[in-house]
Structure formats: C-alpha cells, structure tokens
Amino acid sequence: MNFFHNIKSAMLRELRLMRQRPVYLLATIGVMAFCTVFFLTFLKDGMPEDLPVGVVDLDNSSLSRNITRQIDATQLGRTLKFESYRSAREALQTGEINAFCVFPDGMYEDVISGRQPTVTLYVNSLYFVGGALAYKDLLTMMNMASGGVQRELLRAKGMNDDAIMGQIQPIVIDAHQIGNVTTDYGVYLTNVLLPGILEMIVILVTVFALGSELKYGTSRHMLEKAGGSMSAAMIGKLIPYTVLFTVIGIICDMILYCWAGFPMAGSIWNMFIGTFVMVLSCQAVAFFIIGTLPILRLALSISALYSVLGFSLAGFTFPVEALPPYIQGLAAAFPLRHYYLMYVQEAIFGSGFGGWYPQIVYMLLFLFLPPLVYGRLKKAYRLQNFPRN
C-alpha cells in the first residue's frame, strides 16, 4: 500500500507542477490543436487545382489550339500563353508557372504528312508536388492528343472505331487507387504527420519533465515525496503525461476518421490501441535519452534530432524498402515507422489484429530501453552531479 501511496503523492506533485507551468499544456494541447487545424485547413482541397502551365504555340493551328483548350479544361491545369520560349523560361524560373510546353512551327502539317513533330515539355522540379502534377497533366494530355490524331488518320483510311481503338490502345489499364481513391494529399500526409507531431511532443515534453528536475535541482524533493522510491517517483510522474498524450492522440484519431471522413477500412478502436502503444514507446525513448544524457540541454537537442528523423524514416513519403540496407535497419529504431505500418494495415487494408500485431510487438520492445539507464538516472537524481546549464 505504501508503494501506491508514494505513486499517488508523486502524481499529485506532478499535476501541481503542470498547473503552475503553462508550458506543459501549451506544448501539448496548444501545439497539437494548432497543427490539427493547420493541416486540415491547409490540405482541405485534397489536390492542388489550376496549376499555372505555360504554352508557347509557334504553330497556331487548330490542333495546337485544341490541345491548349484541353489542358486548360483539366482540373489541374490553367494555361498561360507566351509568345516566345524566352518569356516562358523566365516565367518558369521566377515561379510564375510550374511547367510549359512548346508546340513547334509546322506541327499540324507534320502530323498530316505522317511525320513525327516533337512537342517539348519543360518542368520546374524544384517544387516537387507542383512540378510532378503539372508534368503528369501535360504528359496525359499529349498522349490523349496523339491518340486523337491517330484516330482521325485511321478513320480517314476507312477503319472502324473498334479496330482503331485496338491499335491506339491495345491494352486497357484498369487502375484502382486503394485507400485514397481521389488522390487526396490530405489523406496522404495528415494521417502520418499528426501522429509524427504527437511523437515529437511526447518525446520532447517527457524529456523536459524528467530533465527539469535535474536542471532546477528538485529531484531530491521528488524522491522524498515518493518515499525515496525511484520507481514510484517515475510511475507517478509519467502517469499524468501518459493520460494526456493518449487523450490527445485519441481525439486526433476521432477528428481524422469520424469528423474529417478519412478512409478507415478497419476499426477505429484498433487505431486507439496503436496510438496508446505509440505513446508508451515514445515515453520509453524519452526516458532512455534523458537517462543516457542527464543534462536537459543536450537531451532536448538529441530528442529533437531523433524526432525529426522519424518523419524521414517512417516511409510515408519515400519507401523504406528502396533505401540502403543499413538505413532500412535504422528505420526500425523509430516508433513512428511501426505506427505507420500499423496504420496502413488497419485503416487502408482493414486486416485486423492479425495484420498489424508485429508492429505492436515492435513498439512494445521500446519499453525495454528504460531499464538500461534506470540506475544511471536514479544516481543522477540522488547526487545531482551533472551540470545544469
């Protein structure tokens, strides 16, 4: 009973500190609320629309004008006409347009004569999303225009439409975009960005909460409140944060999958479980960092670096399988990577527990990190023999 009483005393002390220091609530609820509103509003349109695309029409024929109208009629493209290649190049370099195409002089005559005119595309790949989408839009319209011209030529030779389509498109592609039918960038990014920000908050706030006891020299008072028990002190100190982080994560899940209507093929309750386990694993990582480096300034720096790397190695922007083997192994050292794989299996494929239980096991393995540095942190709390600045 004394052990649980010590845990309660340490927990009440921590709740009082959280109330006295607004930075805790600001760094958790405030930051998470801002990021949720920001990403849900910033990406609310799903995909970019009316991307400015330049057209240099040196042919000025009915064919080139028709292709220009088709590009302008697409959801992605909004054509801007330029008189010369030089003016279009300057607009591309200044960011006024994302791409432009050049219709050569005599293009229509070359098509009628059976020659192959060359339409040149220029894309600014510095802006990855805008450039890639503009290139995709232009390439699609060029292929459709090429097929349309070929169809008219074959019609003029007396072929019927079925035979024509067999030559123009001998293989029909039936594409299914699983989990994100509309290619919504909000679905693609927000589902992992918000958990990633939560991971960063959990690690940084936990490191700060544990390290501030050393920085301000209050660790002995904390141990005294916990009856001299380091275990009771740590459990009591971390319980309020565990509850707070879990509640924030669950609220974010409800906003994404219930209110915003993001794809959820499985059960949202399983996502709650994944969020809770990710919070525990992130706290374990934070404990390990502050236990290894019981200096708040250094521990926060390492925590920030570790958290940012988690975004890069989660695999939602670039597949981890395409990275070098030693980097693939490094990716397993981040809870966000395992949460992302769990999210894909549950929310996208709806595979249930059988599909993502290995990821839960991997995240639970992080809980073995605190015992490795428990003695070192306990000694630092008792002796306070590390620099505070």
Side-chain angles (χ1 to χ4, degrees):
M1 293 299 294
N2 288 335
F3 182 74
F4 292 104
H5 177 75
N6 293 336
I7 291 177
K8 180 180 178 181
S9 299
M11 186 170 59
L12 293 176
R13 175 183 177 274
E14 193 61 30
L15 290 172
R16 184 172 65 254
L17 287 176
M18 293 173 66
R19 186 174 65 252
Q20 294 173 353
R21 297 176 181 173
V23 66
Y24 287 116
L25 296 180
L26 180 63
T28 54
I29 298 176
V31 171
M32 205 64 202
F34 171 79
C35 292
T36 302
V37 174
F38 175 79
F39 285 113
L40 288 178
T41 54
F42 181 69
L43 300 170
K44 64 182 177 64
D45 293 329
M47 283 189 68
E49 297 182 0
D50 293 335
L51 293 172
V53 176
V55 172
V56 181
D57 190 357
L58 303 178
D59 187 45
N60 199 26
S61 63
S62 59
L63 176 61
S64 63
R65 291 194 297 270
N66 182 44
I67 296 175
T68 301
R69 288 193 297 269
Q70 291 179 14
I71 296 174
D72 194 57
T74 62
Q75 181 182 3
L76 290 175
R78 175 172 58 86
T79 58
L80 300 175
K81 294 185 178 181
F82 295 90
E83 298 297 327
S84 65
Y85 164 81
R86 179 177 180 178
S87 59
R89 177 178 59 82
E90 292 176 352
L92 184 68
Q93 291 175 336
T94 57
E96 182 181 345
I97 58 177
N98 292 278
F100 71 92
C101 58
V102 179
F103 298 131
D105 186 18
M107 180 181 70
Y108 183 71
E109 294 180 359
D110 289 342
V111 169
I112 296 300
S113 302
R115 295 186 293 268
Q116 287 184 317
T118 301
V119 176
T120 309
L121 307 181
Y122 296 87
V123 180
N124 186 357
S125 296
L126 179 63
Y127 304 104
F128 180 76
V129 174
L133 291 177
Y135 174 73
K136 177 184 176 182
D137 194 39
L138 285 174
L139 189 62
T140 301
M141 295 313 302
M142 292 301 107
N143 289 331
M144 292 180 63
S146 176
V149 170
Q150 188 177 0
R151 182 186 61 184
E152 296 303 320
L153 291 175
L154 293 175
R155 278 178 176 175
K157 294 181 179 180
M159 293 182 64
N160 59 52
D161 287 347
D162 292 337
I164 290 173
M165 292 308 298
Q167 288 198 14
I168 295 177
Q169 192 179 20
I171 299 176
V172 178
I173 299 175
D174 185 16
H176 298 268
Q177 300 182 121
I178 300 174
N180 193 0
V181 179
T182 59
T183 321
D184 190 326
Y185 271 77
V187 173
Y188 162 56
L189 293 173
T190 310
N191 276 301
V192 185
L193 282 177
L194 288 183
I197 293 170
L198 177 63
E199 177 197 47
M200 181 181 294
I201 291 173
V202 172
I203 294 175
L204 289 174
V205 171
T206 304
V207 166
F208 181 80
L210 296 176
S212 61
E213 301 287 355
L214 294 169
K215 178 177 177 61
Y216 299 115
T218 57
S219 57
R220 292 174 182 170
H221 178 262
M222 182 190 67
L223 292 174
E224 181 182 347
K225 280 288 186 180
S229 172
M230 180 67 174
S231 300
M234 290 295 98
I235 295 173
K237 187 174 184 66
L238 293 177
I239 282 178
Y241 297 103
T242 304
V243 174
L244 177 62
F245 296 142
T246 303
V247 170
I248 292 175
I250 289 176
I251 291 175
C252 287
D253 288 338
M254 295 178 66
I255 291 174
L256 292 177
Y257 305 117
C258 296
W259 181 72
F262 283 14
M264 172 52 66
S267 170
I268 192 173
W269 291 97
N270 290 336
M271 295 302 300
F272 293 164
I273 295 174
T275 299
F276 173 67
V277 176
M278 187 188 73
V279 167
L280 292 180
S281 61
C282 291
Q283 285 185 304
V285 170
F287 193 103
F288 179 77
I289 292 174
I290 190 63
T292 304
L293 293 170
I295 304 171
L296 182 59
R297 171 173 50 85
L298 294 178
L300 285 175
S301 299
I302 297 298
S303 300
L305 176 62
Y306 175 87
S307 302
V308 171
L309 285 175
F311 287 95
S312 303
L313 297 178
F316 71 104
T317 55
F318 190 87
V320 172
E321 293 76 14
L323 294 173
Y326 59 91
I327 299 296
Q328 296 181 29
L330 182 61
F334 297 87
L336 185 60
R337 167 63 178 167
H338 305 294
Y339 177 85
Y340 168 68
L341 295 176
M342 180 264 176
Y343 149 75
V344 170
Q345 291 297 325
E346 183 62 30
I348 304 302
F349 297 114
S351 57
F353 182 76
W356 49 259
Y357 79 89
Q359 310 309 322
I360 295 295
V361 173
Y362 294 146
M363 283 193 282
L364 290 175
L365 289 177
F366 286 94
L367 300 182
F368 289 97
L369 290 176
L372 300 178
V373 295
Y374 177 83
R376 178 177 173 83
L377 187 60
K378 179 179 179 180
K379 185 177 179 181
Y381 269 33
R382 290 187 182 278
L383 301 180
Q384 297 181 357
N385 56 345
F386 285 89
R388 300 181 182 179
N389 297 322

